Amino acid sequence: MRRNSTKNLFWFVSVPIVLAWVSFASLAVYQSVVNGIEITENQLTVIGIVGGPALLIITNLLDLFKQETTVDIGLLTPDAEADGKIAEMRVKHELERAAAQHEHEMEMEKSTVTTKE
């Protein structure tokens, strides 16, 4: 139940804050560049006030993503090690098979030479 309430809090509080911050900043930059209107102190204040929590939210989301990725990598590592061991066993088997085949061919050649003499 805790997980759902956290997701709801995220969707109803965090997302609007970040979107508002991006909207305010984009609008100020757009009006400054396209319309030639200077960015006022009031606009900068609003961007700064909304930007603080928005940046904290973004930082927390990146940390959460980093933690989940680290856990996923930790879960994949044993599989990767097992795949490496399987590949190592496969190469070892191929080498042993090639050595046995070579030895067999040498024995066959030796027996062919001795029977001709």
Coordinates of all heavy atoms in Angstrom, one line a residue, residues 3 7 9-10 16 24 27 40 42 44 46 59 62 65-66 68 72 74-75 77 83-86 96:
R3 N 3.7 1.7 -1.4 CA 4.2 1.9 -2.8 C 3.2 2.7 -3.7 O 3.6 3.6 -4.4 CB 4.5 0.6 -3.4 CG 5.3 0.7 -4.7 CD 6.7 0.3 -4.5 NE 7.3 0.2 -5.8 CZ 8.5 0.7 -6.0 NH1 9.1 1.3 -5.1 NH2 9.1 0.6 -7.2
K7 N 3.6 6.5 -5.4 CA 3.4 6.8 -6.8 C 2.4 7.9 -7.0 O 2.5 8.7 -7.9 CB 3.0 5.5 -7.5 CG 4.1 4.5 -7.7 CD 3.6 3.3 -8.6 CE 4.7 2.3 -8.8 NZ 4.3 1.2 -9.5
L9 N 1.6 10.3 -4.9 CA 2.3 11.5 -4.5 C 3.2 12.0 -5.6 O 3.2 13.2 -5.9 CB 3.1 11.3 -3.2 CG 3.8 12.6 -2.7 CD1 2.8 13.6 -2.2 CD2 4.8 12.2 -1.6
F10 N 3.9 11.2 -6.2 CA 4.8 11.5 -7.3 C 4.0 12.1 -8.5 O 4.3 13.2 -9.0 CB 5.6 10.3 -7.8 CG 6.4 10.6 -9.1 CD1 7.5 11.3 -9.0 CD2 5.9 10.1 -10.3 CE1 8.2 11.6 -10.2 CE2 6.6 10.3 -11.4 CZ 7.8 11.1 -11.4
P16 N 3.7 17.9 -11.6 CA 3.3 19.3 -11.9 C 4.3 20.3 -11.5 O 4.5 21.3 -12.2 CB 2.0 19.4 -11.1 CG 1.5 18.1 -10.9 CD 2.7 17.2 -10.8
F24 N 7.6 27.7 -17.1 CA 8.0 29.1 -16.7 C 9.3 29.4 -17.4 O 9.4 30.5 -18.0 CB 8.1 29.3 -15.2 CG 6.8 29.3 -14.5 CD1 6.7 28.7 -13.2 CD2 5.6 29.8 -15.1 CE1 5.5 28.6 -12.6 CE2 4.4 29.8 -14.4 CZ 4.3 29.2 -13.1
L27 N 8.9 29.7 -21.2 CA 8.2 30.8 -21.6 C 9.1 32.1 -21.5 O 9.1 32.9 -22.4 CB 6.9 31.0 -20.8 CG 6.1 32.2 -21.1 CD1 5.5 32.1 -22.5 CD2 5.0 32.3 -20.0
T40 N 12.0 39.6 -16.5 CA 11.9 40.5 -15.4 C 12.3 39.8 -14.1 O 12.5 38.6 -14.0 CB 10.4 40.9 -15.2 OG1 9.6 39.8 -14.9 CG2 9.9 41.6 -16.5
N42 N 10.5 39.4 -11.5 CA 9.4 38.6 -11.1 C 9.4 37.2 -11.7 O 9.2 36.2 -11.1 CB 8.0 39.2 -11.4 CG 7.8 40.5 -10.5 OD1 8.4 40.6 -9.5 ND2 6.9 41.3 -11.0
L44 N 12.1 35.8 -12.9 CA 13.3 35.1 -12.3 C 13.0 34.5 -10.9 O 13.4 33.4 -10.5 CB 14.5 36.0 -12.2 CG 15.2 36.3 -13.6 CD1 16.3 37.3 -13.4 CD2 15.7 35.0 -14.2
V46 N 10.0 33.6 -9.8 CA 9.1 32.4 -9.9 C 9.9 31.2 -10.4 O 9.7 30.1 -9.8 CB 7.9 32.7 -10.9 CG1 7.2 31.5 -11.3 CG2 7.0 33.8 -10.3
T59 N 16.7 15.3 -9.1 CA 17.9 14.7 -8.4 C 17.5 13.4 -7.8 O 18.1 12.3 -7.9 CB 18.6 15.6 -7.4 OG1 18.9 16.8 -8.0 CG2 19.8 14.9 -6.8
L62 N 16.8 10.7 -10.4 CA 18.1 10.2 -10.9 C 18.7 9.2 -10.0 O 19.3 8.2 -10.4 CB 19.0 11.3 -11.3 CG 18.6 12.1 -12.5 CD1 19.5 13.3 -12.7 CD2 18.5 11.3 -13.8
F65 N 16.8 6.0 -10.1 CA 17.1 5.3 -11.3 C 18.5 4.6 -11.1 O 18.7 3.4 -11.5 CB 17.1 6.2 -12.5 CG 17.6 5.6 -13.8 CD1 16.8 4.7 -14.5 CD2 18.9 5.8 -14.2 CE1 17.2 4.1 -15.6 CE2 19.3 5.3 -15.4 CZ 18.5 4.4 -16.1
K66 N 19.4 5.3 -10.5 CA 20.8 4.8 -10.3 C 20.7 3.5 -9.4 O 21.4 2.5 -9.6 CB 21.7 5.8 -9.7 CG 23.1 5.4 -9.5 CD 23.9 6.6 -8.9 CE 25.3 6.2 -8.6 NZ 26.0 7.3 -7.9
E68 N 18.1 1.5 -8.9 CA 17.5 0.4 -9.5 C 18.4 -0.2 -10.6 O 18.4 -1.4 -10.7 CB 16.2 0.9 -10.2 CG 15.1 1.2 -9.2 CD 13.8 1.7 -9.9 OE1 13.8 1.9 -11.1 OE2 12.8 2.0 -9.2
D72 N 19.7 -4.0 -10.7 CA 19.6 -4.9 -11.9 C 20.9 -5.4 -12.4 O 21.0 -6.6 -12.7 CB 19.0 -4.0 -13.1 CG 17.5 -3.7 -12.8 OD1 16.9 -4.4 -11.9 OD2 17.0 -2.8 -13.5
G74 N 23.4 -6.0 -10.4 CA 23.8 -7.0 -9.4 C 23.1 -8.3 -9.7 O 23.6 -9.4 -9.4
L75 N 21.8 -8.2 -10.1 CA 21.1 -9.5 -10.4 C 21.6 -10.1 -11.7 O 21.5 -11.3 -11.8 CB 19.6 -9.1 -10.6 CG 18.9 -8.7 -9.3 CD1 17.4 -8.3 -9.7 CD2 18.9 -9.8 -8.3
T77 N 24.8 -10.1 -12.8 CA 26.2 -10.5 -12.6 C 26.3 -12.0 -12.5 O 27.1 -12.6 -13.2 CB 26.8 -9.8 -11.5 OG1 26.8 -8.4 -11.7 CG2 28.3 -10.2 -11.3
D83 N 27.4 -17.6 -17.7 CA 27.7 -17.6 -19.1 C 29.2 -17.7 -19.4 O 29.6 -18.4 -20.4 CB 27.0 -16.4 -19.8 CG 25.5 -16.4 -19.8 OD1 25.0 -17.5 -19.5 OD2 24.9 -15.4 -20.0
G84 N 30.0 -17.0 -18.7 CA 31.4 -17.0 -18.9 C 32.0 -18.4 -18.6 O 32.8 -18.9 -19.3
K85 N 31.5 -19.0 -17.5 CA 32.0 -20.4 -17.2 C 31.5 -21.4 -18.3 O 32.3 -22.2 -18.6 CB 31.4 -20.8 -15.8 CG 32.1 -20.1 -14.7 CD 31.6 -20.5 -13.3 CE 32.2 -19.7 -12.2 NZ 31.7 -20.0 -10.9
I86 N 30.3 -21.2 -18.8 CA 29.9 -22.1 -19.8 C 30.7 -21.9 -21.1 O 31.1 -22.9 -21.7 CB 28.4 -21.8 -20.1 CG1 27.5 -22.3 -19.0 CG2 27.9 -22.5 -21.4 CD1 26.1 -21.9 -19.0
E96 N 40.0 -29.9 -26.2 CA 40.2 -31.4 -25.9 C 39.8 -32.2 -27.1 O 40.5 -33.2 -27.4 CB 39.5 -31.8 -24.7 CG 40.0 -31.2 -23.4 CD 39.2 -31.4 -22.2 OE1 38.1 -32.0 -22.3 OE2 39.6 -31.1 -21.1

